[in-house]
Amino acid sequence: VAMAATRSVMRAVRVFEFGGPEVLKLQSDVLVPVPKENQVLIKVHACGVNPVETYIRSGTYARKPALPYTPGSDVAGVIESVGEHVTAFKKGDRVFTLETVSGGYAEYAVAAANRVFPLPDKLDFRQGAAIGVPYFTAYRALFQKGCAKAGESVLVHGASGGVGLAACQIARACGLKVLGTAGTEEGMNVILRNGAHQAFNHRDPNYTERIKACTGPGGVDIIIEMLSNVNLDADLQLLSCAGRVMVVGCRGRIEINPRDTMSKESSIIGVSLFLASEEERRECATAVLDGIEAGWLKPVVGLEYPLEKVAKAHEDIICSSGSRGKMVLLL
């Protein structure tokens, strides 16, 4: 009991009710969590912001955390302390994680030790916060669910964001022909620097015709789709025979003609990292750590915000006109 009395406090973002970005409250008197067995406590240097965190905050997402809660899962920082039975990490280790127990928008976060990975010195903490969810999701979409093979073509729709750039880098490293779309000239340049063979502006009214001209009559084998409620109908027209659309992101409903899937025996496949098995997560982790070591996995950091500006970050990730890399909070 004496120990509990001296527990230190930290700054953390808390959500007491579901709603708009204004429900994100920065508090300075939140107790620093204590790692239980098989958990570690991380001093957070940077935390990634993912679109899904805005859906959860608004209360419209399938998974609702118990209130109040602290959002955030993609954390990079330094191990502060470890719980019982943790042998893989010690105080002072640089690490990243894609899932926290206590929430990542905070000065300290607890995570299960098996969800934490060493952060190599060649990447800084901002880049570390851009690895977890984007790269694991991209790998799962391409290979675990999309069965991508070297020599196939992939169209990354919305390629300049965190998951999009991860998909471009991974697909290029694994021998696919990579096409990407973005909404700005700057976004297109970022895509081309990160593995895409060709970039298209999805604000150009004829951009799907340009993609067809590029892929020829065969079409594209795989589409990684970040905004399926806008693009799914057009995606089905771009696919090859036995092509597949991987639904990574969606913000609403869309009308399609299922006949478009019959004429090519194409598939529409949903992707959720949340549903990955332990074995699949390990496979993702191995691929990602190998990519960092080999040097082709280089996270691109986009907009950066201090913790005080978290509401602005949540607004911008949904409303901004074109992303270029992963959005991060800096602590």
Side-chain angles (χ1 to χ4, degrees):
V1 177
M3 262 198 60
T6 57
R7 262 179 72 190
S8 50
V9 294
M10 63 174 182
R11 294 188 313 144
V13 174
R14 304 290 281 160
V15 174
F16 294 92
E17 58 178 328
F18 296 113
E22 70 282 353
V23 303
L24 297 161
K25 305 289 187 201
L26 180 56
Q27 314 246 279
S28 54
D29 57 354
V30 179
L31 283 177
V32 174
V34 175
K36 300 190 173 86
E37 62 175 354
N38 300 314
Q39 292 181 339
V40 299
L41 178 67
I42 301 168
K43 184 175 188 346
V44 179
H45 285 253
C47 180
V49 180
N50 293 298
V52 69
E53 288 146 25
T54 70
Y55 312 151
I56 294 170
R57 181 216 69 227
S58 68
T60 58
Y61 197 61
R63 296 200 317 282
K64 280 196 187 67
L67 295 167
Y69 77 98
T70 294
S73 57
D74 279 332
V75 157
V78 173
I79 297 282
E80 180 72 18
S81 63
V82 301
E84 281 183 275
H85 312 313
V86 175
T87 53
F89 299 104
K90 63 184 185 314
K91 184 175 164 70
D93 287 351
R94 288 162 45 94
V95 294
F96 73 93
T97 177
L98 68 152
E99 197 179 309
T100 68
V101 176
S102 59
Y105 297 6
E107 290 177 328
Y108 292 90
V110 161
N114 65 351
R115 295 278 189 271
V116 175
F117 307 96
L119 179 65
D121 288 334
K122 62 170 87 166
L123 300 181
D124 63 29
F125 291 118
R126 293 153 52 251
Q127 291 174 302
I131 301 171
V133 169
Y135 282 87
F136 281 56
T137 300
Y139 183 86
R140 181 167 179 76
L142 282 163
F143 298 105
Q144 293 178 340
K145 295 291 160 191
C147 305
K149 293 180 184 64
E152 286 191 313
S153 57
V154 59
L155 169 66
V156 184
H157 224 152
S160 61
V163 179
L165 288 168
C168 288
Q169 290 179 2
I170 295 171
R172 179 66 180 253
C174 295
L176 282 91
K177 181 182 180 185
V178 185
L179 314 176
T181 75
T184 63
E185 198 64 41
E186 190 185 359
M188 289 165 68
N189 289 331
V190 170
I191 296 170
L192 291 168
R193 285 200 300 273
N194 284 280
H197 292 88
Q198 278 187 277
F200 303 86
N201 189 329
H202 54 63
R203 292 177 200 280
D204 168 359
N206 299 321
Y207 85 98
T208 53
E209 295 310 312
R210 290 170 195 237
I211 293 172
K212 282 179 184 162
C214 176
T215 59
V220 67
D221 298 306
I222 302 171
I223 297 176
I224 307 289
E225 184 51 74
M226 311 303 165
L227 200 59
S228 46
N229 54 299
V230 172
N231 300 321
L232 188 58
D233 187 50
D235 288 343
L236 295 175
Q237 323 296 322
L238 293 172
L239 285 177
S240 64
C241 271
R244 47 264 186 224
V245 180
M246 312 309 300
V247 177
V248 171
C250 182
R251 296 181 186 172
R253 304 176 70 85
I254 184 172
E255 190 172 303
I256 62 164
N257 184 348
R259 177 162 289 171
D260 293 335
T261 64
M262 295 159 61
S263 56
K264 296 173 177 172
E265 291 195 325
S266 55
S267 315
I268 301 165
I269 302 168
V271 179
S272 171
L273 186 56
F274 184 67
L275 296 175
S277 67
E278 201 51 57
E279 196 181 340
E280 287 172 326
R281 283 167 182 274
R282 275 201 298 273
E283 184 194 335
C284 289
T286 303
V288 163
L289 293 168
D290 284 354
I292 296 171
E293 183 129 335
W296 57 258
L297 194 157
K298 288 200 191 80
V300 179
V301 177
L303 297 169
E304 302 172 9
Y305 299 79
L307 210 48
E308 296 77 24
K309 295 269 165 62
V310 63
K312 179 90 174 91
H314 268 224
E315 213 171 290
D316 291 351
I317 199 166
I318 295 301
C319 303
S320 73
S321 60
S323 54
R324 45 185 188 286
K326 170 78 182 238
M327 183 182 284
V328 297
L329 297 172
L330 297 180
L331 285 98

